[in-house]
Amino acid sequence: MHLNLFQRKRLRTSVSVQARLRMVALPVALLLPWVGGNAFAFDFNTVARQAKTLAATSYGKPESNLPKEISNLDYEQYKDIRFRPEKFTWRNQKLPFELAFFHEGYSFDQPVKINEINGQSVREIRFDPNDFDYGGNKIDTNKLRSLGFAGFRVHYPLNTAKYKDEALSFLGASYFRALGKDQGYGLSARGLAIDTGLSSGEEFPRFTEFWIERPKASDKELTIYALLNSRRVTGAYRFVLKPGADTVVDVKAQLYLRENVSKLGLAPLTSMYLHGDNQRPQGEDYRPEVHDSDGLSVASGTGEWIWRPLVNPKRLLVTSYALSNPAGFGLMQRDRDFASYQDLDARYEKRPSAWVQPKGNWGSGRVELVQLPTPDETNDNVVAFWVPETQPKVGQPFNLEYTLSWQKDAEKRPPLSWVTQTRRGYGYQKKSDDNSIGLVVDFEGPVFKKLSDKVQPEGVVSADDNGKVLETKVFRNAVTGGWRMTVRVRRNEDNKPVELRGFLRGGSTTLSETWSYILPPN
């Protein structure tokens, strides 16, 4: 089924509960070298020069340019505005990729300039209200001539050669999302996160201009350049889109700071977690689980894999993992069973996982996880990103490269075994009178197929100073072929979190990834 951005039930707000997307100024004039006296030679360095020049200028926050005919529309009315299929860029050229565009409106009240690179020439793709179908809205399009695009999406035949599905979209601040085969839109990526989770408030950099290379008929990749701007940071980006069963986006960035920032979040991922197998619904929700991602996976680079199940906390919860040159991290949707969700509309079991794989050495830093409370699934309340130990210097280029994979059936997993679910509570037994908390953790993986019958895995579990592990047991799971670990832990102070860490061991051999769980404060 073809799903576009506006066929979802609701438009997501930003990760910050209180913050709104902050729109920023348009870029300076294009700085391109001449080739042959009458054509442009455009590459990543062209955008990088713009970012550097822009960083040396003062930032001016632009105002909304929406006329009242658009600014007065509610969400349902706004999503009724659609780009006409016959107007898709490159459709008449019968190329492998096509472009469609988002109309300004709702929260998207600043235009994004979009250009096409064709050989050695660059042209702006102009906004024309006649290219849009306004649905049931009664709007005088003559009053919209001064508007621009809010963003764009890329179409490619992911599921069948007869139809071009959405494969990638850019809309709002520096947010973008991609799809692989048989996937539906879920979590988002961002170009950059600044001061996420800090009491001072979050700054939302924005992609203000894009340049998209026209593909050749035989191309299976699409190259997109972008200029990023905000009060304290500018940046040049290159995205190479490679659609497929797992759609891959290669990202290259060069950042320039106007001012120092408190927290620079690189390769950020933004998702939603309402409730799941480790957290019951707060109301009468017939759906057992509601989430775009169920955990954070981290490959440390030293061979250890870490899995942190997500939670919907009662208050802001920020945790991190200190690492040097990580092998990767991602917000993953491991549960692929429809029975776990029971949502015929949202189809959460089809939501992609997103895996960040660094290129080159990222040095020392931390993978940080920010989780915010949310009353429903309309808010993205989870963010994960890399924070470098050494911050970039003001005015100096900071380079970053990574591969971002949107996965489903072939998700990145540890080589030995991994956590498939974490459940909280007790089964049919005498109620504990020691105020303990019961947890059940299931592991599955290829290591168990090679495990000798003489080996009984042992659960190794520890808690921080605010918790005490009272009991740990491990049982064979005859249904899955894996192993189940049960844990009983007591919290010392209810108003503080408890950090738990556990894994399976056979003799002196590690058999699983590390289960890293946090019990939020009550």
Side-chain angles (χ1 to χ4, degrees), residues 188-201:
S188 302
R190 285 196 267 171
L192 196 65
I194 298 177
D195 292 352
T196 305
L198 297 185
S199 59
S200 58

Side-chain angles (χ1 to χ4, degrees), residues 426 429-439 459-474 485-492 498-501 515 519:
Y426 292 101
Q429 65 183 52
K430 182 179 178 180
K431 185 177 180 181
S432 173
D433 57 2
D434 56 8
N435 296 320
S436 65
I437 298 167
L439 295 161
V460 182
V461 182
S462 60
D464 66 7
D465 292 341
N466 195 42
K468 182 178 181 180
V469 178
L470 303 177
E471 183 180 66
T472 301
K473 296 181 179 180
V474 176
M485 180 176 73
T486 62
V487 181
R488 192 160 59 89
V489 62
R490 184 171 60 224
R491 189 198 303 266
N492 295 329
V498 177
E499 286 266 5
L500 297 170
R501 180 182 176 89
W515 171 74
L519 290 167

Side-chain angles (χ1 to χ4, degrees), residues 229-250:
N229 192 17
S230 75
R231 181 174 66 85
R232 289 179 287 175
V233 183
T234 69
Y237 284 76
R238 183 188 67 196
F239 303 94
V240 180
L241 170 67
K242 303 174 183 179
D246 289 346
T247 287
V248 173
V249 181
D250 288 330

Side-chain angles (χ1 to χ4, degrees), residues 324-474:
S324 181
N325 294 320
F329 67 91
L331 289 175
M332 317 301 282
Q333 185 80 316
R334 283 186 174 175
D335 193 337
R336 295 294 175 188
D337 188 352
F338 170 77
S340 297
Y341 304 99
Q342 294 291 334
D343 195 320
L344 292 171
D345 183 15
R347 299 303 300 272
Y348 286 107
E349 77 278 5
K350 290 180 175 287
R351 304 283 169 108
S353 299
W355 181 258
V356 174
Q357 183 173 333
K359 292 184 178 181
N361 294 327
W362 279 18
S364 298
R366 66 184 188 271
V367 174
E368 184 162 297
L369 177 66
V370 178
Q371 298 177 94
L372 292 145
T374 183
D376 54 49
E377 67 251 52
T378 65
N379 293 302
D380 281 333
N381 64 320
V382 178
V383 189
F385 45 79
W386 173 255
V387 181
E389 185 177 276
T390 303
Q391 293 282 344
K393 295 181 179 180
V394 173
Q396 297 299 311
F398 180 84
N399 295 293
L400 179 74
E401 289 191 63
Y402 58 95
T403 295
L404 181 55
S405 301
W406 304 79
Q407 306 170 345
K408 179 175 171 282
D409 296 328
E411 291 171 325
K412 193 74 172 179
R413 289 179 177 175
L416 299 176
S417 69
W418 49 87
V419 176
T420 59
Q421 65 175 353
T422 300
R423 293 187 175 274
R424 181 171 173 173
Y426 292 101
Y428 182 70
Q429 65 183 52
K430 182 179 178 180
K431 185 177 180 181
S432 173
D433 57 2
D434 56 8
N435 296 320
S436 65
I437 298 167
L439 295 161
V440 177
V441 186
D442 277 330
F443 295 86
E444 294 179 26
V447 70
F448 300 132
K449 296 179 180 179
K450 305 175 183 177
L451 196 65
S452 170
D453 293 338
K454 298 179 181 179
V455 176
Q456 170 66 36
E458 172 191 9
V460 182
V461 182
S462 60
D464 66 7
D465 292 341
N466 195 42
K468 182 178 181 180
V469 178
L470 303 177
E471 183 180 66
T472 301
K473 296 181 179 180
V474 176

Side-chain angles (χ1 to χ4, degrees), residues 150-168:
F152 70 96
R153 60 184 190 262
V154 179
H155 291 243
Y156 182 86
L158 284 171
N159 298 294
T160 172
K162 298 180 180 179
Y163 185 83
K164 290 185 175 68
D165 308 273
E166 282 189 45
L168 177 69

